[in-house]
Amino acid sequence: LGSSGVSAFQVAKRIRKGDRVLVLGGSGGVGTYLVQLAKLNGASYVASTTSHPERLTALGCVDRVVNYETEDVMAVDEFNKDPFDTVIDLACSDWRKLLRSSIVKSGFAGGRFFTLNDRAEFELHSVPQAVFTLLLPNVWRNVVTFVDRSRPRYRYVLAIDGPSRDNLRAMVDLVSQGKVRAVVDPTGPFPFTTEGVRAAFHLQKSRHAYGKVVVDVSPLDAPPQPIDAASSASS
């Protein structure tokens, strides 16, 4: 909840009541929270892309699931005839192609495109590198789509901004009330061993995990470990 849940909460606050929403990559850690929050925040219709349609369907809050391995989301007739108000990209999609497509409304009609990250992998080792890699490209796209309203408005969401403590408290309340489900990839939990941790990281890096990838560091039913008095005293 502290990372993916809060990130999804930050993005979901941008959804307007009655919006038709498309989430690209809705079956990951952030996506599984976001598709649920979209409906709670008043979205009239929620669609999402994934490589495992049955998993998103099981959440019961997605109106249309598109398997991106067999179907091009930008070629879906339904979406072209009735475009989305808001597209949220969690899959590092080709934003240029999306902004030129007809599945999202123009800026004149209130169409918006949000992304948390415009590239799958990158490294930042300095402030200037962060400015040139993340800040400037996204500011430029924001300005261009503000001027050119024939395209949906591009927005980069820094998901760690805002009162994170309040957002975390809100997410905990939603989960405890049963309004939002925390989804854990069925492959796990992985054991806290070298092989287990490697397998967890490989699954995470594959970008095909369902929900959160969990490593079981200390099983809840594990008996308490006795304290070695001699070693405790020497330490």
Side-chain angles (χ1 to χ4, degrees):
L1 286 177
S3 57
S4 297
V6 170
S7 295
F9 192 85
Q10 281 288 104
V11 182
K13 289 194 297 186
R14 273 81 171 173
I15 295 172
R16 301 164 300 201
K17 188 174 182 179
D19 271 1
R20 283 173 53 83
V21 177
L22 170 63
V23 179
L24 301 171
S27 59
V30 176
T32 49
Y33 285 121
L34 184 55
V35 293
Q36 298 176 76
L37 291 169
K39 275 297 178 70
L40 288 177
N41 280 28
S44 62
Y45 181 92
V46 176
S48 183
T49 60
T50 178
S51 58
H52 298 285
E54 71 286 349
R55 294 177 174 178
L56 272 185
T57 302
L59 286 176
C61 58
V62 182
D63 300 289
R64 175 78 153 81
V65 180
V66 177
N67 185 342
Y68 64 79
E69 293 185 339
T70 60
E71 190 174 12
D72 181 3
V73 67
M74 290 182 232
V76 176
D77 287 341
E78 175 190 353
F79 300 164
N80 283 280
K81 292 176 181 177
D82 192 2
F84 293 96
D85 300 284
T86 301
V87 174
I88 303 169
D89 180 27
L90 305 176
C92 303
S93 305
D94 186 343
W95 62 273
R96 297 176 184 86
K97 186 177 179 181
L98 281 162
L99 293 186
R100 292 193 299 266
S101 75
S102 57
I103 66 169
V104 55
K105 294 178 180 178
S106 70
F108 289 114
R112 301 176 303 164
F113 175 88
F114 294 105
T115 182
L116 272 72
N117 188 14
D118 63 345
R119 60 196 70 199
E121 295 184 5
F122 60 91
E123 293 185 6
L124 300 177
H125 301 289
S126 66
V127 172
Q129 189 178 15
V131 171
F132 284 100
T133 302
L134 291 180
L135 182 61
L136 290 183
N138 286 293
V139 169
W140 174 77
R141 294 165 197 162
N142 195 338
V143 171
V144 168
T145 56
F146 175 77
V147 175
D148 181 4
R149 296 298 179 91
S150 65
R151 305 177 185 184
R153 183 73 185 275
Y154 180 101
R155 293 289 184 88
Y156 175 75
V157 180
L158 184 61
I160 60 173
D161 67 353
S164 58
R165 179 182 297 180
D166 294 340
N167 293 342
L168 178 57
R169 184 179 295 113
M171 282 299 298
V172 170
D173 289 343
L174 289 171
V175 172
S176 63
Q177 294 166 13
K179 295 179 179 180
V180 171
R181 287 171 51 192
V183 178
V184 176
D185 189 278
T187 312
F190 292 90
F192 189 50
T193 62
T194 300
E195 294 76 13
V197 172
R198 282 176 177 169
F201 271 98
H202 287 159
L203 176 58
Q204 184 72 20
K205 190 173 182 180
S206 74
R207 302 182 66 83
H208 289 290
Y210 174 52
K212 298 301 297 179
V213 177
V214 174
V215 174
D216 197 352
V217 177
S218 178
L220 293 176
D221 57 353
Q225 298 297 315
I227 298 176
D228 188 332
S231 61
S232 178
S234 62
S235 61

